[in-house]
Amino acid sequence: MAVRLLISVLFISLVSLTYASDPAPLQDFCVAVKDDDAKVFVNGKICKDPNMVSADDFLFPGPNMPGLNVPGNTSNPLGSKVTQVNVNQLPGLNTLGISLVRIDYAPYGLNPPHTHPRATEVLVVVEGTLYVGFVTSNPANPNVKNKLFTKTLNPGDVFVFPEGLIHFQFNVGKTNAVVFAGLSSQNPGVITIANAVFGSNPPINLDVLTKAFQVDTNVIKYLQGQFWWNID
């Protein structure tokens, strides 16, 4: 497992050589200041005084935190868990345009349809067998449907989810699955489709969703009454 983890991290590091959504740094580094300590709001995070920066600002995990060698807790209705390493967990990533995640899946666990509004995702499978896919944006021709791209992945396989497109991963095997993924933003963001549409606060107007989904109002009421699990 240690060798697989090393290979995965080395692979993901290559993402830093590609175009990222975030602005390029104008100095050696810009370690993020915690939001609670920031005096102003900026597009991203403001820089910590370079004289106060230490090696710990570039290290994950922090004190009393598990590393990426520790499996995430998949004991939830979706059977999956995302462990994030972005600028909020690793301040040294600020302005560098890269982050990564570990995702654990129980047998038949799902990372439900979601999108990263600010990042392309490159995923490598370490253990297990996953059915993955993404859906294109709306075609220019209204008579053409959104296209679905899918693949079944095994250990060592790599798959790319283009920035902003809805995508998912489903463990089709009878054993646990593990992946690592690099993302082209220090803070890629995530919008889980069902959570956003049916679990927003305040809820979206019933008439809006009933007409949008072309179903009975009671179906929308039922969906809005569910607890929409967050695995991040």
Side-chain angles (χ1 to χ4, degrees):
M1 181 63 186
V3 174
R4 291 178 179 176
L5 175 60
L6 177 60
I7 293 173
S8 300
V9 172
L10 290 174
F11 164 77
I12 290 168
S13 69
L14 295 177
V15 177
S16 64
L17 302 177
T18 64
Y19 173 79
S21 299
D22 301 332
L26 300 178
Q27 59 280 322
D28 286 346
F29 51 78
C30 173
V31 173
V33 172
K34 292 181 180 179
D35 289 337
D36 292 342
D37 297 331
K39 304 301 180 184
V40 296
F41 290 98
V42 295
N43 184 23
K45 305 270 189 182
I46 66 172
C47 301
K48 188 175 183 179
D49 183 343
N51 294 320
M52 302 297 293
V53 171
S54 72
D56 288 339
D57 292 314
F58 302 94
L59 174 68
F60 178 90
N64 302 316
M65 293 176 58
L68 290 184
N69 61 316
V70 178
N73 183 2
T74 60
S75 298
N76 59 68
L78 292 173
S80 65
K81 176 62 179 177
V82 178
T83 303
Q84 302 184 66
V85 185
N86 58 42
V87 69
N88 297 305
Q89 292 82 33
L90 183 54
L93 289 175
N94 196 37
T95 76
L96 299 184
I98 187 173
S99 59
L100 71 153
V101 297
R102 169 181 173 143
I103 312 176
D104 290 274
Y105 312 80
Y108 308 111
L110 172 70
N111 189 3
H114 64 282
T115 177
H116 301 293
R118 295 180 290 275
T120 292
E121 178 178 349
V122 184
L123 176 147
V124 57
V125 179
V126 177
E127 296 180 11
T129 302
L130 294 176
Y131 172 72
V132 307
F134 66 87
V135 182
T136 61
S137 56
N138 295 353
N141 184 345
N143 296 316
V144 177
K145 292 185 177 182
N146 304 63
K147 187 171 183 179
L148 172 65
F149 292 87
T150 64
K151 206 72 179 175
T152 299
L153 306 181
N154 295 297
D157 288 344
V158 175
F159 198 80
V160 177
F161 302 106
E163 180 174 337
L165 298 187
I166 296 173
H167 59 283
F168 59 86
Q169 303 107 34
F170 179 57
N171 181 5
V172 294
K174 297 180 180 180
T175 61
N176 293 337
V178 180
V179 307
F180 291 89
L183 299 108
S184 60
S185 171
Q186 67 182 40
N187 187 24
V190 59
I191 302 170
T192 305
I193 307 306
N195 299 40
V197 174
F198 299 112
S200 66
N201 184 22
I204 298 174
N205 184 281
L206 279 173
D207 293 335
V208 172
L209 295 182
T210 299
K211 191 158 190 175
F213 287 93
Q214 298 291 292
V215 296
D216 187 86
T217 301
N218 289 326
V219 175
I220 301 300
K221 288 181 178 179
Y222 171 79
L223 291 171
Q224 287 185 327
Q226 303 306 300
F227 177 79
W228 295 100
W229 199 271
N230 180 11
I231 61 169
D232 294 312

